[in-house]
Amino acid sequence: MSQTGSKVQDGGQKEIGFDVFSYVHDSRQTYGLRAQEYTRYRRYCAHHLRTVRKSAKMTQGSSKAYSKNDVTAEVASTPEHIEILVLEAERAWAYAMDLRELYSRTEEPRQRYHLIRRLRAASKAGEQLAAVAGSVCNQRTSLSCYAYWLQIRAQLHFELEEWEAALDCAVFCCVVSKQLGATGSSQQQALAHSVIETLDPIVRLAAYQVRMGGAQQLQPSAIASQWYTLHMKNDPERVGRVIDGFATVDASLKLLGASNDGQSVSDEQDSSFENGLQWRGGRVSFTNSALSSQIENAEAQLSQIIDDKALFRTDAPDALVKDVSSSFKKVGKTARSCVADALAASAKVGSAATDKLSSAYLLVELYSICALHAVAVNRYVQQADKIAADLNVAPGDSDTSFGKTSGAGNMWFAGDIEAASSACGQTKNTAKKVTIDRLAQGTQIVLLYDMARKSIEQLGSACSRVLARVSPSAGGSVYAQQIVDEVATASLYYS
């Protein structure tokens, strides 16, 4: 259900890995919360908790006598120990949510008191989870457990109408979750954003209750960013009295960003996607830092061959152009893989942020396709024009028009077309490689322009295929529809 495991630290001690967000999401969706059946989910947590405790040899006495057996940092050594703490928190949280639904129907005060007691129990279990994970788990698991505890703590303060504390906990949970999503996979990004979206009502109402200026006109993400920058980072002592370990975790977030190629989340920036591509006057933002590096490398190689005019010289080595094409093919392959991951994450979590992310990766794929075909077409056309200039032949000349194959002035041209046809047929039938340099110059011109025309046709079909999957808002940022019109115009010209 979740990715768990452990790896050895430098001192010989094992670091526990446990994907808390994925585990909690899968459990809730599988065992009742898809239909808001909190009672069913609580019973599952209680039953599975007994099973996991028995498996980890952490049972609490027998049927005759109860003996408390807490999971501490000294005892925890496997993912099962972390799972026990998560299930204890989930069991109490599910009971609290069940009581909240009951209280909304009856408004009986005792049910509200019981609800708060269950939320306190869930918060206590979450705090213990965060403490144990901070000692025995890897950095990502530790931060995930901390964010999970903050989410429950924010709900507790919200029910108690402690608005400032609720806002502090909710905002810091959003900050931690956003950083975890920005440095993780597409699925981790979607899970992190689902956590943030569940806290949006708390952030909005708590900001209104504390009379935060301009909160009514801002989105929850902007409220969180502004509150974190102005009221939490500038007053860590106050926040430290509400949130244990605030300064330590805040420093860990910066280290996490630095250890992931510097892709840390900017406090002032609303966007959750820190990597990006500047294209056609717009910005395509995404999270994959490896893809961003591949784009930079491909663009650097393209700039080099443009500066050296390698695309325009027939004597330029083909290796230069092949290297550029290979780099853009790698960009397209990575983008397609990211699209598949984003769509799988969106199907699992259903986050609006993941839908936006999949469109961003589709636009990167479109960019790589356009760049590949632009390089190929420029290469073909420039080589054909160079050969035509050597022959003193200009496209569109009345005596030597490339569209004619009859007349005294074009007899050499008709012969070259026959040679090209037979060469192509020989290549298809006998699989014998025939290079364009071995053909007559007139044939080379015909084939080069025909290759350019076919490349543009392939570009048109590829653009239509990709743009059919891109959301209109994302495509509008780079004027995607104009690409189709430009390709259609070029196709008519070369036809």
Side-chain angles (χ1 to χ4, degrees):
M1 187 179 296
S2 62
Q3 296 178 353
T4 60
S6 59
K7 69 176 183 179
V8 180
Q9 293 179 341
D10 295 337
Q13 183 182 1
K14 288 185 177 180
E15 275 189 330
I16 300 174
F18 191 89
D19 195 342
V20 177
F21 288 166
S22 179
Y23 180 85
V24 170
H25 178 271
D26 291 348
S27 298
R28 291 179 179 180
Q29 294 299 308
T30 306
Y31 298 103
L33 261 64
R34 191 184 297 272
Q36 301 298 308
E37 296 177 358
Y38 292 104
T39 303
R40 177 190 168 197
Y41 181 56
R42 176 166 63 92
R43 289 172 179 169
Y44 159 76
C45 290
H47 174 75
H48 193 55
L49 179 59
R50 289 193 295 270
T51 303
V52 177
R53 276 191 174 276
K54 187 175 181 180
S55 174
K57 298 181 180 180
M58 291 287 294
T59 55
Q60 303 191 107
S62 62
S63 58
K64 296 182 179 179
Y66 172 79
S67 176
K68 192 173 179 63
N69 194 0
D70 287 335
V71 177
T72 61
E74 292 75 18
V75 174
S77 59
T78 64
E80 284 77 12
H81 292 109
I82 304 299
E83 188 176 3
I84 289 172
L85 294 172
V86 174
L87 286 169
E88 287 183 344
E90 282 292 283
R91 180 182 60 179
W93 174 84
Y95 198 178
M97 296 300 102
D98 198 10
L99 289 167
R100 188 173 68 175
E101 280 198 344
L102 187 61
Y103 174 73
S104 65
R105 294 194 299 267
T106 64
E107 296 186 358
E108 189 174 333
R110 295 308 307 171
Q111 291 170 354
R112 174 171 169 76
Y113 298 149
H114 196 183
L115 155 66
I116 292 174
R117 288 200 302 272
R118 288 295 87 202
L119 274 179
R120 288 189 192 276
S123 178
K124 183 179 179 180
E127 186 175 7
Q128 186 180 2
L129 169 66
V132 172
S135 301
V136 301
C137 294
N138 57 41
Q139 187 182 37
R140 186 171 191 88
T141 301
S142 176
L143 290 174
S144 299
C145 294
Y146 193 83
Y148 172 74
W149 168 57
L150 286 175
Q151 184 183 11
I152 298 176
R153 185 74 177 271
Q155 289 179 304
L156 172 60
H157 287 300
F158 187 80
E159 291 294 337
L160 293 171
E161 298 184 359
E162 297 172 351
W163 307 116
E164 189 174 47
L167 187 57
D168 285 337
C169 292
V171 165
F172 199 47
C173 179
C174 291
V175 171
V176 176
S177 301
K178 184 181 289 187
Q179 180 66 79
L180 289 171
T183 55
S185 63
S186 296
Q187 180 171 317
Q188 291 168 333
Q189 171 85 30
L191 291 167
H193 272 272
S194 69
V195 172
I196 295 173
E197 288 170 3
T198 60
L199 292 172
D200 282 350
I202 295 178
V203 170
R204 188 180 289 278
L205 184 57
Y208 171 77
Q209 292 291 345
V210 300
R211 301 295 188 267
M212 179 179 172
Q216 293 178 333
Q217 288 77 35
L218 296 175
Q219 293 295 322
S221 59
I223 294 173
S225 178
Q226 186 174 331
W227 182 266
Y228 177 65
T229 304
L230 299 179
H231 300 278
M232 297 183 70
K233 293 187 69 175
N234 293 338
D235 195 2
E237 293 183 2
R238 179 193 66 81
V239 180
R241 291 191 293 269
V242 178
I243 304 175
D244 294 335
F246 168 74
T248 304
V249 173
D250 196 35
S252 299
L253 291 177
K254 297 177 182 178
L255 292 176
L256 179 65
S259 64
N260 287 274
D261 300 327
Q263 299 299 328
S264 59
V265 176
S266 172
D267 303 328
E268 292 80 10
Q269 189 172 1
D270 272 350
S271 174
S272 303
F273 310 139
E274 297 305 310
N275 301 288
L277 164 68
Q278 295 289 346
W279 187 39
R280 297 177 64 86
R283 176 178 171 82
V284 181
S285 300
F286 49 87
T287 61
N288 193 307
S289 58
L291 179 60
S292 181
S293 300
Q294 291 177 2
I295 292 173
E296 291 178 2
N297 180 50
E299 289 180 339
Q301 291 181 338
L302 180 60
S303 298
Q304 181 180 356
I305 66 170
I306 290 176
D307 293 340
D308 296 342
K309 298 184 178 180
L311 284 177
F312 313 138
R313 302 199 320 266
T314 55
D315 59 340
D318 288 336
L320 292 175
V321 181
K322 287 181 179 179
D323 287 343
V324 175
S325 300
S326 176
S327 296
F328 278 108
K329 286 179 181 178
K330 188 182 295 184
V331 170
K333 182 178 179 180
T334 304
R336 285 190 293 273
S337 176
C338 291
V339 169
D341 292 342
L343 291 176
S346 180
K348 177 179 180 179
V349 182
S351 172
T354 314
D355 296 337
K356 181 179 178 182
L357 192 60
S358 62
S359 291
Y361 287 131
L362 283 169
L363 288 178
V364 174
E365 181 185 356
L366 179 63
Y367 165 76
S368 67
I369 293 171
C370 290
L372 271 172
H373 287 279
V375 169
V377 170
N378 273 280
R379 180 73 165 166
Y380 298 148
V381 172
Q382 294 298 334
Q383 288 183 344
D385 289 348
K386 179 66 169 58
I387 297 172
D390 293 341
L391 294 174
N392 293 322
V393 176
D397 184 79
S398 59
D399 292 331
T400 56
S401 175
F402 290 117
K404 298 178 181 179
T405 57
S406 61
N410 293 335
M411 290 306 294
W412 62 269
F413 200 68
D416 286 338
I417 290 176
E418 291 180 5
S421 300
S422 62
C424 293
Q426 183 183 19
T427 304
K428 182 181 295 186
N429 295 331
T430 65
K432 180 180 179 181
K433 184 177 180 181
V434 179
T435 61
I436 194 171
D437 294 335
R438 294 173 57 185
L439 300 175
Q441 288 181 314
T443 306
Q444 292 181 33
I445 296 174
V446 174
L447 291 182
L448 286 168
Y449 271 103
D450 190 57
M451 291 162 69
R453 179 185 60 79
K454 289 181 178 179
S455 182
I456 292 173
E457 289 179 355
Q458 293 171 0
L459 173 59
S461 60
C463 287
S464 300
R465 172 179 54 82
V466 174
L467 289 176
R469 303 167 62 192
V470 176
S471 64
S473 59
S477 64
V478 295
Y479 305 100
Q481 189 55 44
Q482 290 187 11
I483 299 176
V484 179
D485 299 336
E486 292 167 6
V487 171
T489 303
S491 180
L492 288 173
Y493 174 79
Y494 285 104
S495 294

